[in-house]
Every structure is written in C-alpha cells, then in structure tokens.
Amino acid sequence: MKIDDRFYMQLALGEAWRYQGLTYPNPAVGCCVVKEGRILAVEAHHKAGESHAELWAMLAAYEALEGREAAVDSADADAVYDFLQTVPEELFRGVSLYVTLEPCAHHGRTPSCAWALSRFPLHRVVVATADPIPGHGGGLEILADHGIEVATGVCEEEARELLEPFLIWQERAFVLFKLAQTTNGRIGGGYLSSPESLEHVHRLRAVVDELLIGGSTVRTDRPTLDCRFVDQKRAPNVCIYSRQNEFDRSIPLFGVSDRQVRITDDIEPLLDRPSFLLVEGGEGMLKALQDRIDWLLLYQTPKLSAHPLSYNVDQKLKYLHHASIGVDLILWSRFE
Amino acid sequence: MKIDDRFYMQLALGEAWRYQGLTYPNPAVGCCVVKEGRILAVEAHHKAGESHAELWAMLAAYEALEGREAAVDSADADAVYDFLQTVPEELFRGVSLYVTLEPCAHHGRTPSCAWALSRFPLHRVVVATADPIPGHGGGLEILADHGIEVATGVCEEEARELLEPFLIWQERAFVLFKLAQTTNGRIGGGYLSSPESLEHVHRLRAVVDELLIGGSTVRTDRPTLDCRFVDQKRAPNVCIYSRQNEFDRSIPLFGVSDRQVRITDDIEPLLDRPSFLLVEGGEGMLKALQDRIDWLLLYQTPKLSAHPLSYNVDQKLKYLHHASIGVDLILWSRFE
C-alpha cells in the first residue's frame, strides 16, 4: 500500500461519506490533518449550520497535539473558530490538510474556513476539487496569499462523486431511491435492517424536503414514515404517487403531526424543483421512476432468503461507496 | 475518527484480506509499520513460500525512511531477511509494528520473523492475536526478551475472523462457496463480473486443493474451470457432485491437461480431509452443501437485472469483509 497524498485524501473521503445526504443542503466534506506523516485527525462536516470539516479536524488536531480535550463544542462553528484564533500559531507549523473540497472563502452561516486556516504556518493544503459553485471559491487563493502551499486534484474523481448530490440539488431534485434487501436481493419478510441502518434512514428522512412513496407500498406496508429512531420531532412531508386518491386514513403515516401528505399522479413538478427527494418503495416505484433516479441507496443485510419478493429491473449502476453499518452493508450507487 | 492502535491494526487487517485464501496453506497476515505516528508501510503476506507480512513491511518501511528502493526482491524471504541483517539498527529506533498475528518464532520454509525483528531497537510490537497453533508461538517472548514492548489483543475478534480458514483447514476441509451475482441477487445472464473479479477467482483456483461443482452446472454452463486469466499452468482438480456418471466429455473442463476429474455422489470423505475446497455452483449446490459451507464469497456486480435466475435459500450470514474489486464489490461472509 502506498502512503501518499491519495492515502490521506481517501481517509478524508471515507469520513465524508458517513454524512452523505445528512449535510443537506450543504455538501458532504471530509478533512484529514497530518503533521510530518502523523495523522492527527480525520473529521467531516456533519450537518448544515454546524462546523465545517476543516474546523472539526483542526480542533481534533489541536487535541491530538496537546494531548487533552479543548473546552469547546466541536459542532459549534463560531465557538471553534473563536477558539482556533487563540491557539498559538506555532502549534500548527508544518501541518498539512487534505480536504475533499476547497475551503470556503466567505463568512456565511458559519465563519470562513480559509480565513481560519490562513493564520497558521501550515505546510500544505491539498484539496481534491475546487469549489464548483460559480462565485464561490477563492479559498485556495486566500491560503496561497498567506504563503501556504496549495495543491488540487488529488482523488478528484472520487471527490466529484461525493459532491454530486450537492451539485444536483442546486438545479433540480436529487432523487435518492432507498431499498433494504437481503444479500440475495429479497425485499420482503418484515424489517430487514440492523438498528444502525434504520437509524440512518430516519436521519435522512429528517433532512429531506419530501419523501416520495408508491401508493401500493402505502396500502400494503401501512408505514409511519417518521423519524422516531433518531428522536427527531420533524417528520418529512410525504408525497404518495398514486392514480387513486382513496386511502385508509388510519394508515399511521396520516396520523403523524406537523406533516403534509399529498397524493398525486403527476410528480414532474416535484422532480424539477431544486430539492432533496427520498424515494421509498418496491419494484413498481423503481420502474415508474427509473429514468429519474439519480442514486440508489441500498442497505444490504447479512442473510440469504427464500422469500419470493424481489425486484425485476435492468439497470446499470456505478458503485460509489460501501461501508459497514451495524451488521449490514450500506452501498451507494449511481444509476448509469 | 480515532487515530489509535485499532486504526493502525485495521490498516493491517484490510491489507491482509486482499490475500485471504491466496496464502493457503499459510494464514493471511497483515502488518503496519509506524514511527512516531507516521505510517511507513502497510503490507501483507501474499503467498506461501514468499516473505511473511513483517518482512514485506520492514522492507517497505526501510524504503520509506531512506527514500529509495532497496535492491532486493520483496517476495524473496531469504533475501529480505539477509538484507534486513545489513540495515543499521538505529534506522528502526522508535518504530512500532502492528501485526494481525504473532510473528513466527521458528525458521520454517522462511526465516523467523521474530528473530528478524529482534535485532532492532523497536518501540512496540502490537499483535491482534497470538499464534493459535499449539507448539508454535513464542514470537512475542523472543521480542520481549530483546527489550521490545509487546502488546496483544488489539482487534482480536477481527483477526480471528481473518484466521478462521487457516484454523479450519488444519482440521478438515475449509469449504468456500463462490457466487457471482448482480446487485439484486441474479446469477444468470452470462459473465457477470469485472476482469479483476474473474482474475481473483482464477487465483483462488490456482491454490485450492480441489474445485467442487454440481453436475447440473457442468451440463448447463459447460465450463473450463482453469486459471487462464492468471497465466497459471496448474488447473485445479475437479470433483463433480452428481448422482449420474454420464457427462459429455467434450465439455471443456475435461480437456484441461494435468488435471484430475472425478464424479461422485459421496462428498463426505472430501469434506473430512484437511484441505481448501472451492465450490462453484448455483442454488442446487448451495442447498446440497448448506450445512457444510463455511464461508460465502460473493462477487457483486454494479447492475440490477430482470434475469429470472436467482437462488432461494434461507441462511443467516455474518459479513466479515468487503472491498472494491474493479467495478465490483467483493464480500466475504460466514455461514452462521
């Protein structure tokens, strides 16, 4: 195995993927901090409004170098920014950062990462890809103006895949189709997933703009479609895709408070709107939306099953990322 | 992410898994070399008769520290051992090794790793698990006797999973059932796998004692079952599991030179013999052997398919390891 720039960037990418989708409307970003080959920190952006990856990672690097915890909430961007202002510059001399995306240049909901970094005598800041949003960017320039060596393009393809949802949901709906299956592709037979997978779905539900589900799944499964596993009060609005308007209103999803439910057979307007759309359903929904699905999110559980329910569709994929989640496998793919 | 002993051991484990099975009859072993937090090398044992993981890794660490390649073949255990004897001891002062298995203590086909390491003023040797073979072991004692700090039990459960085939094939046949499938569990429709997956299968075929295949698969697929993708002359002996002795002898597998083919409906003797048995087949073979399969090796390809051929069986698994292999996913599971 080669221990090079790509190795450190892969660590940053892997950490970022843990929060893919969950950072909506922000992009998923990861950061690895290295000093003379020693990995000090690998962190990621968790959630919009909270610290960016660079702030998380610089705080963790501070703690690694000092051997003690800082009395500051890592998620609180303003607090971390202010804390980093008080750190002696020399502590980070010779430190390199590997960031999956160019550090932000302007103070938005959170302070500018490029400015936060620029006061330190860093060795290098390596980014996988420049900020793709026109008018943003400039972070590398700020760093270079402060005499920090910058480099770009390390693992650029992987970083662009990581960013893809972010780029799509600026323009139109990013359509993420979620499925839970056995290792041999069966989707029936009750709850299939580990508690960690179920929790992950609920975290996604808590951030998406709308949850799209097929009418037949609603009738068969009688789901609740809330976020109860993550203690999140806000349940997503639900759009039921159905030609038929009649539903048994005792199906739990209709009883969730603070939620809108609508039933429609025309989802085109939904797909055109810049947003994050999570789709839950089976074969019918997969086929109905096949040309409009961006990514498939698969929770694959460690069993083989003789249950007859599967899904029949021809579709080329590209695997983007896989990881363990509890005893399951989480697999992100692009519809090609 | 925590950068601790487990982090370095996970790197060693991940590298070792790349050679799972291929090291037969040796165990798969990985090694990560670290100096003051800087990762110098992550290497693994590739093949029986070649350098152990520690020798590969120490040579790579030498190259990382010296910034140049050593004029020695990394795979040649004797050559690496001799080369390491010439390295100034001080070069490795403060270096720590993370090894998934206790370094070997006695000179067998290859020189003893514990002796090779013991002449250096190492900081620590951390092993995931002690040598499980009675009468082996003693490697940690040699290192401790030379004043090197030793520790054991880091990622022990993961290391024992990695070692499981090795422990089984000492006692009886280790039965590895191989399947190639689409993401939704379809096993029909021609070659499903990436070139890298096919090559991996052929590498496995080149080391196993025997390849077990169902009679119906032989009749339907008319396979060759050789190792042509890895330029390996030795094709594995084949055992066809069938009640019926009649086969069309123009099926390519019968025409491979230097191979024995036998046809039997009694595989019990095969399963009792200490050996490494690779099973290729479909649903029929999976059901016939269900109680005797140790592990499932799945090559999962990035597409969904409407092809009707799948496999129906109820079986609990434990996912042991997953990795990318070309565009595919390789997934190792235990039958529970």
Side-chain angles (χ1 to χ4, degrees):
Chain A
M1 184 189 288
K2 261 185 145 174
I3 312 299
D4 55 7
D5 283 352
R6 283 186 57 86
F7 174 82
Y8 300 117
M9 193 64 85
Q10 295 283 1
L11 291 177
L13 285 163
E15 190 69 10
W17 272 102
R18 294 181 57 202
Y19 302 92
Q20 179 63 275
L22 303 175
T23 58
Y24 177 73
N26 286 353
V29 181
C31 179
C32 175
V33 184
V34 179
K35 185 175 184 175
E36 288 154 21
R38 177 183 167 202
I39 301 166
L40 299 176
V42 184
E43 298 292 339
H45 181 45
H46 295 196
K47 198 177 166 179
E50 293 187 356
S51 298
H52 284 183
E54 299 91 322
L55 294 189
W56 273 96
M58 285 295 275
L59 186 67
Y62 167 87
E63 294 178 332
L65 287 168
E66 293 287 290
R68 60 188 161 89
E69 278 190 38
V72 59
D73 175 4
S74 310
D76 183 337
D78 286 315
V80 177
Y81 187 89
D82 290 347
F83 178 82
L84 288 175
Q85 297 285 330
T86 70
V87 173
E89 296 165 19
E90 285 305 310
L91 187 72
F92 289 116
R93 181 168 296 281
V95 159
S96 293
L97 271 78
Y98 295 83
V99 201
T100 62
L101 178 64
E102 181 178 7
C104 64
H106 76 290
H107 200 102
R109 277 175 81 175
T110 55
S112 152
C113 292
W115 282 111
L117 297 173
S118 66
R119 64 179 287 267
F120 296 108
L122 300 176
H123 174 46
R124 282 170 89 206
V125 174
V126 181
V127 309
T129 188
D131 196 311
I133 304 291
H136 283 220
L140 286 181
E141 220 176 311
I142 291 170
L143 294 166
D145 286 349
H146 284 78
I148 297 166
E149 186 187 329
V150 297
T152 184
V154 174
C155 303
E156 182 151 23
E157 193 189 330
E158 295 93 323
R160 289 190 165 270
E161 289 170 351
L162 177 70
L163 272 183
E164 196 173 291
F166 171 73
L167 294 175
I168 292 174
W169 68 47
Q170 315 278 326
E171 303 287 334
R172 56 168 176 84
F174 172 69
V175 181
L176 179 64
F177 195 99
K178 171 240 142 185
L179 264 179
Q181 69 168 35
T182 66
T183 305
N184 62 334
R186 305 309 158 91
I187 56 175
Y191 277 117
L192 290 174
S193 303
S194 70
E196 291 83 354
S197 295
L198 293 170
E199 189 183 312
H200 189 262
V201 176
H202 283 216
R203 279 195 202 288
L204 279 173
R205 283 183 186 161
V207 300
V208 298
D209 290 300
E210 196 142 10
L211 205 156
L212 179 59
I213 187 164
S216 61
T217 303
V218 170
R219 288 191 185 89
T220 314
D221 289 359
R222 301 180 62 89
T224 309
L225 301 176
D226 63 4
C227 309
R228 63 192 177 282
F229 297 155
V230 291
D231 199 25
Q232 173 81 26
K233 284 197 180 104
R234 177 195 167 252
N237 294 332
V238 171
C239 177
I240 301 173
Y241 183 45
S242 172
R243 288 211 179 77
Q244 209 194 328
N245 217 343
E246 293 296 303
F247 282 87
D248 170 2
R249 296 289 162 152
S250 74
I251 293 172
L253 78 88
F254 292 103
V256 174
S257 59
D258 293 327
R259 127 165 327 154
Q260 291 168 30
V261 181
R262 58 201 176 108
I263 301 159
T264 180
D265 64 350
D266 177 18
I267 51 172
E268 286 302 317
L270 196 63
L271 298 173
D272 290 342
R273 184 161 33 115
S275 58
F276 183 5
L277 206 59
L278 182 65
V279 189
E280 305 197 24
E283 183 184 291
M285 203 59 188
L286 196 56
K287 284 183 168 166
L289 275 178
Q290 189 168 1
D291 295 338
R292 303 302 295 265
I293 294 168
D294 293 299
W295 283 15
L296 174 68
L297 169 58
L298 208 60
Y299 301 91
Q300 185 165 305
T301 203
K303 68 176 178 187
L304 305 176
S305 163
H307 194 284
L309 195 62
S310 66
Y311 53 110
N312 294 286
V313 56
D314 286 303
Q315 177 64 48
K316 206 170 169 292
L317 304 173
K318 181 178 184 204
Y319 290 158
L320 302 173
H321 188 71
H322 52 86
S324 296
I325 184 164
V327 299
D328 296 343
L329 185 72
I330 183 169
L331 179 56
W332 299 85
S333 313
R334 186 201 286 135
F335 265 43
E336 295 279 270
Chain B
M1 186 188 287
K2 261 186 147 172
I3 312 300
D4 55 8
D5 283 351
R6 284 186 57 86
F7 174 82
Y8 299 116
M9 193 63 85
Q10 296 282 0
L11 291 177
L13 286 163
E15 191 68 10
W17 272 102
R18 294 182 56 204
Y19 301 93
Q20 180 63 276
L22 302 174
T23 59
Y24 177 72
N26 286 353
V29 181
C31 178
C32 175
V33 183
V34 178
K35 185 175 184 173
E36 287 153 20
R38 178 184 166 202
I39 300 166
L40 299 176
V42 184
E43 298 293 340
H45 182 45
H46 293 196
K47 199 177 164 179
E50 293 187 356
S51 299
H52 284 183
E54 299 91 323
L55 294 188
W56 274 95
M58 285 297 274
L59 186 67
Y62 167 87
E63 294 179 331
L65 287 168
E66 293 288 289
R68 60 186 162 90
E69 277 189 38
V72 60
D73 175 5
S74 310
D76 183 337
D78 286 314
V80 177
Y81 188 89
D82 290 345
F83 178 82
L84 288 176
Q85 298 284 330
T86 70
V87 173
E89 296 166 16
E90 285 305 310
L91 187 70
F92 289 117
R93 181 168 295 280
V95 159
S96 293
L97 269 78
Y98 295 82
V99 201
T100 62
L101 178 65
E102 181 178 7
C104 63
H106 76 291
H107 199 103
R109 280 175 79 176
T110 57
S112 151
C113 292
W115 283 110
L117 296 174
S118 65
R119 63 179 288 266
F120 296 108
L122 300 176
H123 174 48
R124 280 170 89 205
V125 174
V126 181
V127 308
T129 187
D131 196 312
I133 303 291
H136 283 219
L140 286 181
E141 219 176 311
I142 293 170
L143 294 166
D145 285 348
H146 284 77
I148 297 167
E149 185 187 329
V150 296
T152 185
V154 174
C155 302
E156 184 151 21
E157 191 189 331
E158 294 93 324
R160 288 190 166 269
E161 289 168 351
L162 177 71
L163 273 184
E164 195 174 293
F166 171 72
L167 294 175
I168 292 173
W169 67 49
Q170 315 279 325
E171 303 286 334
R172 58 167 176 82
F174 172 68
V175 181
L176 180 64
F177 195 99
K178 170 242 143 185
L179 265 179
Q181 68 167 36
T182 66
T183 305
N184 61 333
R186 305 310 158 91
I187 56 175
Y191 277 117
L192 290 174
S193 303
S194 70
E196 292 83 355
S197 295
L198 293 171
E199 188 182 313
H200 188 263
V201 176
H202 282 216
R203 278 193 204 288
L204 280 174
R205 284 183 187 161
V207 301
V208 298
D209 290 299
E210 196 142 12
L211 205 156
L212 179 59
I213 187 163
S216 62
T217 303
V218 170
R219 289 192 184 88
T220 314
D221 289 1
R222 302 181 61 88
T224 310
L225 301 176
D226 63 2
C227 309
R228 65 193 177 279
F229 297 155
V230 290
D231 198 24
Q232 174 81 25
K233 285 200 179 103
R234 176 195 167 250
N237 293 334
V238 171
C239 177
I240 301 174
Y241 182 44
S242 173
R243 288 210 180 78
Q244 209 194 329
N245 218 342
E246 292 296 302
F247 281 87
D248 170 2
R249 295 288 161 154
S250 74
I251 291 172
L253 77 88
F254 293 103
V256 174
S257 59
D258 293 327
R259 131 172 314 159
Q260 294 168 28
V261 180
R262 55 197 179 112
I263 301 159
T264 181
D265 64 351
D266 176 18
I267 49 171
E268 287 301 320
L270 198 62
L271 297 172
D272 291 341
R273 185 161 31 117
S275 59
F276 182 6
L277 205 59
L278 183 65
V279 189
E280 305 198 24
E283 183 185 291
M285 204 58 188
L286 196 55
K287 284 182 168 166
L289 276 177
Q290 189 168 1
D291 295 337
R292 303 301 296 264
I293 293 167
D294 292 300
W295 283 14
L296 174 68
L297 170 58
L298 207 60
Y299 301 92
Q300 185 165 306
T301 202
K303 69 175 180 187
L304 305 176
S305 163
H307 194 284
L309 195 61
S310 66
Y311 52 109
N312 293 286
V313 57
D314 286 302
Q315 177 64 49
K316 205 168 170 290
L317 305 173
K318 181 177 185 205
Y319 289 159
L320 302 172
H321 188 70
H322 52 86
S324 295
I325 184 163
V327 299
D328 297 343
L329 185 72
I330 182 170
L331 179 56
W332 300 85
S333 312
R334 186 199 287 135
F335 264 45
E336 296 278 270

